[in-house]
Amino acid sequence: MEDTILVVNCGSSSLKLSLFDHHLSKLASAAAERLNTKDAGARIGGNDEGIALKPDASHEQALEAIVSALQNLELMASRPAAVGHRVVHGGETFHEAVVIDDDVIKAIDDCAELAPLHNPVNLCGIRATRALFPGVQQVAVFDTAFHQTLPERAYLYAVPRSWHRDWGVRRYGFHGTSHAFMAIEAARLLGRTPATTSVISAHLGNGCSITAISEGVSVDTSMGLTPLEGLVMGTRSGDVDPGLFDFLGSKGVDAEEVHQVLNHQSGLLGLSAQTNDMRSLCELADHGHEPSKTAIEVFCFRLARYIGAMMASLARLDALVFTGGIGENSARIRQQTIGHLGLMGFAIGTDLNKNHGSFSDGRIESPDSRFPILVIPTDEELVIAQEASRLAGRPEPADQHS
Ligand code: AMP
């Protein structure tokens, strides 16, 4: 148990922990929710009894309570061999996962203005874990790092260059851990190596993004300066005309309110006026709820347009990959999306698509499809554990963050 790897994922009001053994098999997972509110609660996966948390429990208090519960259940020794942290924004500083030291903490803090809702709370998890396990090596794995290979033509907005130079305004991309995993898994399933495999990876969960990966390297992606750009998501609008801010300003809606609505009351929720949850939306649509049908249509059409757009970044395509809660589980969304792409030669195998879980190769295209289409379950925690395990053996990093 000494050589377990702990993976920590801190959200604004939540905390998720996963524990892996030295073979990187998952031993346990736990989550705390509604932190800093009177309803704060925590639970270890598969265990019906919750973990007692004080009302208004903080991330630090939840972390301590969960670790102590894992230790009481003898799932965890006094300290893990290494801790991996999900960090949302690494700006242009971090191109890969790094061992955390004081300089790294400062650099993550410097990136906080690009992700004010995420980086401070990620840092909170890092500081709490450092205090709980002094001397244990901690590793930061960045959502943005995989996309640091984007060429200028894909990451620059057509705005004054000084905005990029002075304020870092550019496209960064997110969900990098999941897209990187898709590049590796797709290559494995196709019997190729990542360095010779080009894929379009569609991560469709509550947040959605799509990435063009050329020979293992991210060359275009749909999310931008923030995770708001691109596809239709659960509560996020994705692309809108930036003229919207001025137009709504003339109606008395200030920029802060537009920002709030675009992030939290738009996307599937905004279009359906019912729910941000795709599974519920599909049920509503089946019962004839027209706004839910429309929300699904807008979601699939935007996705199909982006799949087409990503083709412009690739010299060839070895597979289109679906992942995330929606991408992995919704045959309907995959079918409706591919239905728009016949002209490009994509064709879905209707039965394979419905029964993809029974086939280990993940393939759902029909024999006449020009390209393979794959469904691959994502596992971001495993990637973070792999990175933590890989870097934990290294000596103190002198200059790993370029
Ligand atoms: P994630 O953020 O990756 O956990 O994905 C969450 C999304 O996946 C939610 O919108 C769920 O409704 C959706 N989802 C999960 N299972 C299904 C399913 N069988 N059909 C449609 N959507 C699903």
Side-chain angles (χ1 to χ4, degrees):
M1 274 194 302
E2 274 294 343
D3 47 6
T4 50
I5 308 281
L6 184 65
V7 172
V8 179
N9 182 352
C10 273
S12 50
S13 62
S14 67
L15 168 70
K16 287 188 196 146
L17 292 189
S18 306
L19 194 65
F20 292 82
D21 69 13
H22 64 289
H23 298 299
L24 297 180
S25 297
K26 197 182 270 187
L27 294 170
S29 57
E33 288 178 334
R34 297 182 291 275
L35 294 173
N36 302 305
T37 74
K38 64 178 178 28
D39 299 321
R43 182 174 299 279
I44 293 183
N47 204 334
D48 286 344
E49 258 178 56
I51 299 168
L53 292 183
K54 288 186 199 144
D56 297 317
S58 63
H59 287 79
E60 290 88 340
Q61 288 165 331
L63 179 77
E64 270 183 51
I66 293 175
V67 164
S68 127
L70 287 170
Q71 288 168 341
N72 288 341
L73 289 169
E74 299 193 352
L75 288 166
M76 192 175 166
S78 55
R79 40 195 259 146
V83 184
H85 294 269
R86 174 180 179 224
V87 179
V88 166
H89 218 307
E92 291 183 312
T93 310
F94 295 103
H95 297 225
E96 58 183 348
V98 291
V99 174
I100 296 171
D101 58 16
D102 290 342
D103 290 346
V104 169
I105 287 184
K106 182 175 178 317
I108 293 172
D109 201 23
D110 289 344
C111 295
E113 64 173 5
L114 292 165
L117 298 179
H118 295 104
N119 276 29
V121 81
N122 297 155
L123 274 176
C124 167
I126 291 171
R127 291 196 175 103
T129 324
R130 272 184 134 196
L132 202 56
F133 304 117
V136 170
Q137 212 152 47
Q138 319 256 340
V139 168
V141 181
F142 300 90
D143 277 15
T144 49
F146 182 59
H147 301 299
Q148 279 296 296
T149 48
L150 292 184
E152 260 191 344
R153 66 168 189 250
Y155 76 68
L156 282 181
Y157 291 113
V159 296
R161 290 298 291 254
S162 58
W163 289 12
H164 175 224
R165 192 183 57 235
D166 299 340
W167 299 324
V169 173
R170 52 159 282 180
R171 312 184 63 258
Y172 289 95
F174 298 86
H175 289 147
T177 316
S178 178
H179 292 303
F181 188 63
M182 290 307 117
I184 293 165
E185 278 298 288
R188 187 180 67 76
L189 290 168
L190 295 168
R192 308 175 63 98
T193 61
T196 59
T197 306
S198 295
V199 300
I200 293 175
S201 161
H203 177 110
L204 311 175
N206 203 26
C208 300
S209 72
I210 184 164
T211 295
I213 301 169
S214 174
E215 305 191 326
V217 167
S218 172
V219 290
D220 197 5
T221 194
S222 58
M223 283 178 168
L225 174 71
T226 73
L228 181 58
E229 190 178 342
L231 302 175
V232 176
M233 309 182 213
T235 62
R236 284 173 255 168
S237 61
D239 295 340
V240 291
D241 182 342
L244 191 71
F245 280 82
D246 193 42
F247 178 77
L248 289 177
S250 74
K251 306 279 175 204
V253 188
D254 68 20
E256 175 54 30
E257 192 177 340
V258 180
H259 173 82
Q260 282 298 326
V261 173
L262 292 180
N263 274 288
H264 302 295
Q265 290 165 43
S266 297
L268 298 174
L269 174 63
L271 284 166
S272 68
Q274 291 290 322
T275 176
N276 64 324
D277 185 86
M278 183 60 93
R279 196 170 8 192
S280 311
L281 212 57
C282 291
E283 284 163 13
L284 283 164
D286 285 342
H287 286 92
H289 188 251
E290 287 303 324
S292 297
K293 281 189 203 165
T294 307
I296 292 170
E297 272 169 30
V298 176
F299 181 95
C300 295
F301 179 59
R302 176 88 56 89
L303 174 58
R305 279 171 68 193
Y306 259 97
I307 292 169
M310 289 293 142
M311 301 279 277
S313 286
L314 296 174
R316 59 152 226 276
L317 181 67
D318 295 304
L320 167 65
V321 182
F322 286 97
T323 192
I326 299 171
E328 290 164 32
N329 297 303
S330 180
R332 173 194 198 136
I333 298 299
R334 295 190 298 256
Q335 172 118 29
Q336 207 164 318
T337 303
I338 298 299
H340 291 290
L341 296 168
L343 193 58
M344 288 189 183
F346 289 95
I348 207 154
T350 310
D351 289 341
L352 284 175
N353 183 39
K354 283 194 186 132
N355 304 315
H356 83 91
S358 21
F359 303 96
S360 58
D361 67 0
R363 292 181 69 156
I364 58 163
E365 78 276 10
S366 76
D368 57 342
S369 182
R370 200 173 147 207
F371 306 103
I373 306 172
L374 299 172
V375 177
I376 301 179
T378 194
D379 197 341
E380 290 161 286
E381 289 154 0
L382 175 65
V383 177
I384 296 172
Q386 282 167 341
E387 291 291 67
S389 164
R390 182 176 68 83
L391 291 174
R394 289 189 178 180
E396 267 310 288
D399 184 25
Q400 285 192 37
H401 46 105
S402 49

